[in-house]
């Protein structure tokens, strides 16, 4: 029955059912085959998404949207450009670092991509970067939006897995920084022989100082945001949900009057857009919660663990297989759905083989974050294509190269070096 | 006879006594019926939180549960969270036993909703865990500055305020984080064992106020119950009662044991003399109880008052 | 959408949804911000506020989800549109999956109605303000009604298109 349910899930996903309805189909199959009374399904879904903790997600999405329309990113990019813009391939590196910095403001990767992408794609095109490559690079870098805290993905994980949000936020920070470095360096290395690229002019010390002062001044209100959000959360002024609300509210006057990107018209537009995204995510959570409840009742985690243990009994091997499992999930669905489905099933297994839950948070974050750019379900890759006009087949090869040279090494490091994810939570939060 | 499968939901962590008792319940029934009745335990909110599980027990999609009691169906059920209902384990043994006044009131309330109450799992007397010291904790008239997190329910808010503490309502899921960062400075309700299991890394002071008795209730869907044979019914009731008595003993032991553990862990633990506790309890009954009357109904309130004449 | 649809009801419904999404988002963000500030200043919060916020949140979620159905922007694995090049097969699969989706929305209406009528008959309420639970739960029901409506219309459009492809008109 479970096998059919999973098969049904895969088939419905592939023929193009919206993700929530693929979950729903699979859930109804288990209901029918197991002679369950379906009455509890909606009650369970309803109760699951009622948590106020989850409200952080729509609020972070809204904040991200407001900052995107409010031109907040432009000032950040200009400042970063001052430092890395003059090396060959530097502009690509600027885009990567900008995604990381923007990631410390927003909790979502699609907000990061639309925001940084809408500014960087035209600039990259002007300077001669291949379309497919830039789509792949920015799609990949925008995942930093969920690896650098705050992170909607980690909110979901901590909520389902009963872990501290703060610790989960910190867990993916070092892996995120490693990935930022790797992608920026990889970009420069790939483009080292490309002679079409234009490089911005060198400034002398005097000019640099002046530009630095100017651009920092202009970026200041935007630079305040991560301080507000992360400082507010870790300083004990606000809960993560409140931080999300505060940052959305803060972005409104800043967008209207400081960066002047917001108008009454696009203000309403962007709120409606983020509310739609929110609705789409919440309907998905609603249905995935029903499905995972049935998986629990059918004891899927134990069955998977037994299966894994019949293949290998070493922690090393099981971790490898958990990774493969999540990569497959990441190919089939978006990051939120995959997190919601994998956490209740895989976290107990990870704990049973002796993995620290916060370490697992980082493994899951990197792995499922990567899932956003692994085809066939690669929402960020498609979004990047829509933004800069690259076709999927153009961005496919550079994406695979990025996966191979940046993501897989980072995933292996995160998986097999627990120190990377546990050091900060231990240092700052006293996690044992 | 036909084989019967029962799903029993729980909320406590796997190593908590409640879950251990659930497994014992399942085992006892399984052995006594030679496997004719098979009970599968889902601990740790696996099937949803107590609010939802209760609703499902009403509907019958979950047959049995050992959970805290939510009040969405009937606010009188908030009685289970009433502050200073009882002050010591002698009173607990009496009031919560079948025929005891609390058992009788609660059994009737559940019955109205289509749920049969089989008994209670007693899990310790609660206190306050805080991150900074409380001013003159034994005197409820002294205004304190320690901001206490309460669940969003009048019983907790009013009684905590009657004890002299400012309150803030924060959802349970955010409490740990809020304590960690200082959004709030303490939480109310948990006995030493819960403070140890869930909060020992963030709590620095513990005050054993005995203000709440942590209980979970053994519940079973009434239609399902009525279908059981008289023998099976007796078996279920007896098993729940054996475990209830055991839970009282376990709680008494654990309250002491975990207080020591908290102390050894480096926490500053304050306990109170029975006179001091009586002063605090009297204050709460005087200030908070009248305001709670509309929640639990005048009839129940007068039954409570009778206990303290 | 394939073609523009008009009419007061059609447009009015969409405008109503947009307004709910807009105002509810703002209400939620602003009231949480105010709540946080109040706690900081007065060392207490608006007691029971999260109960009211979560009602707004449910309506935001399900009206937003329905709007996503109207836009057809629910997350999908883009296998069919990106990797299937045969026009006939592609249009058939799209029509089929939209039809299945619409069908499950109707199943959803049935289940949501079950939940809603249960709360209504049992008079279940929230813990602090004793607000009837059918108030937030109505959003689930209405959300599925709207999704069923929009997906049915998408199905009709895709079905027509597939038919025309088979008949060689496109
Ligand atoms: Na982020
Ligand atoms: Na993917």
């Amino acid at each position: 029955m479970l096998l059919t349910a999973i098969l049904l899930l895969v088939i419905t996903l592939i023929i193009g059912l919206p993700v929530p309805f693929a979950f729903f189909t699979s859930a109804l199959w288990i209901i029918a085959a197991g002679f369950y009374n379906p009455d509890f399904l909606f009650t369970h879904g309803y109760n699951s998404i009622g948590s106020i903790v989850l409200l952080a997600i729509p609020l972070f999405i809204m904040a991200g949207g407001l900052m995107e329309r409010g031109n907040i990113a432009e000032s950040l990019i200009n400042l970063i450009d001052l430092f890395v813009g003059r090396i060959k391939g530097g502009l690509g590196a600027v885009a990567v670092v900008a995604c990381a910095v923007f990631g410390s403001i927003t909790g979502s990767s699609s907000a990061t991509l639309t925001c940084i992408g809408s500014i960087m794609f035209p600039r990259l095109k002007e300077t001669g970067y291949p379309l497919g490559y830039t789509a792949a690079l920015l799609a990949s870098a925008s995942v930093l939006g969920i690896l650098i805290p705050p992170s909607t993905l980690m909110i979901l994980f901590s909520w389902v897995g009963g872990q501290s949000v703060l610790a989960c936020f910190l867990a993916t920070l070092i892996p995120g920084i490693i990935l930022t470095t790797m992608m920026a360096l990889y970009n420069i290395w790939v483009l080292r022989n490309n002679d079409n690229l234009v490089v911005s002019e060198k400034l002398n010390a005097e000019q640099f100082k002046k530009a630095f002062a100017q651009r920092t001044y202009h970026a200041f209100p935007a630079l305040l945001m991560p301080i507000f959000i992360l400082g507010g959360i870790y300083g004990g002024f606000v809960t993560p949900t409140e931080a999300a609300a505060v940052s959305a509210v803060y972005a409104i006057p800043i967008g209207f009057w400081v960066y002047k990107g917001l108008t009454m018209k696009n203000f309403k537009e962007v709120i409606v857009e983020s509310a739609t995204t929110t609705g789409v995510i919440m309907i998905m959570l609603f249905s995935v919660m029903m499905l995972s409840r049935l998986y629990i009742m059918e004891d899927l985690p134990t069955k998977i663990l037994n299966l894994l243990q019949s293949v290998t009994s070493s922690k090393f091997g099981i971790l490898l297989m958990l990774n493969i499992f999540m990569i497959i999930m990441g190919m089939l669905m978006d990051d939120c759905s995959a997190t919601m489905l994998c956490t209740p099933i895989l976290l107990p297994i990870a704990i049973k083989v002796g993995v620290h839950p916060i370490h697992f948070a980082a493994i899951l974050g990197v792995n499922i974050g990567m899932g956003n750019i692994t085809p066939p379900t690669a929402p960020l890759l498609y979004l990047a294509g829509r933004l800069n006009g690259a076709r999927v087949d153009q961005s496919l090869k550079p994406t695979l190269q990025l996966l191979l040279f940046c993501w897989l090494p980072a995933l292996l490091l995160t998986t097999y070096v627990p120190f990377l994810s546990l050091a900060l939570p231990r240092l700052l939060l006293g996690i044992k | 006879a036909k084989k019967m499968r029962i799903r029993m939901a729980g909320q406590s962590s796997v190593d908590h006594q409640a879950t251990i008792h659930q497994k014992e319940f399942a085992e006892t029934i399984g052995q006594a019926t030679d496997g004719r009745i098979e009970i599968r335990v889902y601990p740790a909110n696996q099937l949803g939180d107590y609010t939802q599980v209760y609703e499902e027990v009403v509907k019958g999609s979950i047959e049995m549960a050992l959970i805290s009691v939510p009040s969405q169906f009937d606010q009188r059920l908030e009685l289970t969270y009433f502050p200073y209902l009882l002050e010591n384990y002698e009173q607990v043994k009496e009031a919560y036993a079948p025929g005891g006044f609390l058992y009788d009131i609660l059994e009737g309330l559940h019955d109205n909703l289509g749920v049969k109450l089989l008994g209670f799992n007693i899990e310790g007397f609660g206190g306050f865990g805080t991150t900074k010291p409380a001013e003159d904790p034994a005197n409820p008239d002294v205004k304190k500055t320690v901001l206490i997190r309460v669940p969003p329910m009048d019983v907790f808010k009013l009684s905590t305020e009657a004890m002299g503490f400012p309150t803030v309502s924060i959802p349970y899921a955010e409490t740990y984080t809020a304590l960690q960062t200082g959004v709030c400075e303490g939480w109310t309700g948990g006995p030493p064992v819960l403070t140890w299991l869930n909060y020992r890394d963030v709590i620095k002071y513990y005050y054993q106020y005995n203000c709440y008795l942590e209980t979970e209730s053994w519940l079973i869907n009434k239609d399902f119950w009525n279908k059981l044979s008289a023998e099976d019914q007796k078996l279920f009731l007896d098993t729940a009662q054996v475990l209830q008595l055991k839970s009282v003993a376990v709680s008494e032991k654990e309250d002491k044991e975990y207080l020591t553990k908290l102390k050894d862990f480096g926490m500053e633990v304050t306990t109170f003399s029975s006179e001091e506790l009586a002063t605090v309890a009297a204050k709460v009954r005087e200030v908070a109880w009248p305001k709670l009357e509309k929640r639990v109904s005048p009839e129940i309130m007068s039954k409570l008052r009778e206990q303290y004449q | 959408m394939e073609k523009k649809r008009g009419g007061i009801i059609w447009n009015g419904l969409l405008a109503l949804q947009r307004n709910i999404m807009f105002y509810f988002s703002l209400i939620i963000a602003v009231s949480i911000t105010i709540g946080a500030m109040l706690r900081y200043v007065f060392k207490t919060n608006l007691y029971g506020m999260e109960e009211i916020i979560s009602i707004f949140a449910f309506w935001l979620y399900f009206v937003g989800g329905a709007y996503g159905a109207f836009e057809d922007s629910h997350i999908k694995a883009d296998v069919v549109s990106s990797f299937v090049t045969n026009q006939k097969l592609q249009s058939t699969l799209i029509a089929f999956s939209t039809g299945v989706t619409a069908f499950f929305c109707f199943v959803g209406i049935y289940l949501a109605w079950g939940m809603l009528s249960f709360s209504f008959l049992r008079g279940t309420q929230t813990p602090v303000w004793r607000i009837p639970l059918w108030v937030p739960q109505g959003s689930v029901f209405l959300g599925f009604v709207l999704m069923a409506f929009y997906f049915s219309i998408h199905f009709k459009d895709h079905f027509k298109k597939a038919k025309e492809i088979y008949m060689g008109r496109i």
Side-chain angles (χ1 to χ4, degrees), chain C residues 20-95:
Chain C
I20 290 178
M21 287 149 79
F22 178 69
Y23 288 108
F24 282 22
S25 297
L26 288 185
I27 289 171
I28 292 169
V30 170
S31 53
I32 292 181
T33 306
I34 291 174
M37 290 191 317
L38 282 183
R39 187 192 52 238
Y40 196 65
V41 178
F42 298 110
K43 288 215 113 192
T44 183
N45 65 342
L46 298 173
Y47 172 65
M49 192 182 68
E50 59 274 11
E51 217 173 82
I52 292 164
I53 289 178
S54 88
I55 292 175
F56 281 103
F58 270 113
W59 279 93
L60 173 68
Y61 296 166
F62 282 90
V63 171
Y67 202 80
F70 156 72
E71 288 185 341
D72 205 3
S73 58
H74 279 268
I75 309 152
K76 290 176 197 162
D78 286 290
V79 182
V80 175
S81 51
S82 318
F83 298 94
V84 177
T85 43
N86 180 317
Q87 278 252 316
K88 275 187 186 173
L89 182 62
Q90 193 190 46
S91 64
T92 312
L93 280 175
I94 290 176

Side-chain angles (χ1 to χ4, degrees), chain B residues 71-73 75 113 145 147 152-154 157 167 169 183 185 295, chain C residues 39 43-45 47-48 50 118 122-125 127-128 130 133:
Chain B
S71 64
Q72 83 262 38
F73 285 93
Q75 53 181 336
L113 300 171
T145 57
L147 186 60
M153 259 194 207
D154 283 0
K157 179 183 160 69
T167 64
S169 60
V183 166
E185 295 151 341
R295 290 277 174 188
Chain C
R39 187 192 52 238
K43 288 215 113 192
T44 183
N45 65 342
Y47 172 65
E50 59 274 11
F118 179 85
R122 287 309 194 97
T124 46
Q125 297 167 333
V128 178
R130 309 306 297 179
L133 282 184

Side-chain angles (χ1 to χ4, degrees), chain C residues 92-105:
Chain C
T92 312
L93 280 175
I94 290 176
F96 177 72
S97 63
T98 318
V100 174
T101 306
F103 170 74
F104 280 119
C105 285

